[in-house]
Amino acid sequence: MRNASVCLFAALAIYLSATPTLRAEEAPHAAALTTSAKPLLRHGIFRFTSYPAAWTAAQESNRPILLYATAPNCPHCVRMIKETYGAASVKQLAVESFETVYVDRAEQPELAAKLKIRYFPSTIIVAPNNEVLDVVEGYVDAAALKQRMQTSFAAHERSTRK
């Protein structure tokens, strides 16, 4: 697990250094986050489809990033969106405590490759300093994901109090 986190951390750092912080087409969306208007959320949870945009928001809000990676024609991905992320407790925790990003392998193959995602779906929780807090590979139910999200958020909170 430690080696996987180090690889993901390195991949995210490389991706961020090689990618502009905010693409022009995302500027209106990022501006909407800083205003009183509520942004449109994909599946009612995910604010971003770009990791750099989510990372920029995490820098501003000091909230961890919850990255959900999916693939086309993945029945477990669809099930996880519907059952796990659709659960009220998970949805509320995600929207209130995390900067959320939705990565579709078909739409962003370079990011999925750089993150070395082996299984779909995968959920990766990343601190604003780009440290990987948790990697959840495969389908998990709402109770399990909520527990891991709470644990990761608590670890982030402890590290920011130092």
Side-chain angles (χ1 to χ4, degrees):
M1 179 66 164
R2 180 99 172 122
N3 288 341
S5 293
V6 171
C7 288
L8 283 172
F9 179 74
L12 290 171
I14 290 167
Y15 182 77
L16 287 174
S17 66
T19 307
T21 305
L22 188 63
R23 294 189 301 204
E25 67 270 14
E26 294 170 331
H29 182 71
L33 290 176
T34 59
T35 65
S36 61
K38 290 205 176 225
L40 295 175
L41 302 177
R42 190 168 190 170
H43 300 289
I45 296 174
F46 303 101
R47 289 185 183 99
F48 302 100
T49 56
S50 162
Y51 186 84
W55 186 76
T56 299
Q59 298 301 295
E60 294 171 3
S61 67
N62 194 34
R63 295 179 349 162
I65 298 165
L66 177 76
L67 181 145
Y68 178 72
T70 184
N73 303 317
C74 169
H76 300 293
C77 299
V78 172
R79 181 176 169 216
M80 191 158 171
I81 286 288
K82 183 178 179 182
E83 296 174 9
T84 304
Y85 283 105
S89 61
V90 170
K91 187 180 287 191
Q92 180 180 3
L93 181 60
V95 170
E96 292 177 0
S97 302
F98 294 87
E99 297 300 340
T100 53
V101 60
Y102 183 92
V103 175
D104 186 321
R105 180 177 68 180
E107 295 171 9
Q108 298 181 63
E110 71 287 342
L111 178 56
K114 286 181 182 183
L115 293 174
K116 298 183 184 351
I117 297 171
R118 300 178 304 165
Y119 303 101
F120 292 93
S122 285
T123 301
I124 304 170
I125 302 174
V126 184
N129 67 358
N130 228 20
E131 176 187 350
V132 176
L133 300 172
D134 196 5
V135 177
V136 181
E137 293 181 320
Y139 173 86
V140 294
D141 65 22
L145 183 62
K146 181 180 176 189
Q147 178 63 45
R148 293 186 69 171
M149 289 168 62
Q150 289 172 327
T151 301
S152 295
F153 188 78
H156 164 68
E157 289 287 298
R158 281 192 302 275
S159 71
T160 58
R161 284 191 219 132
K162 291 181 182 179

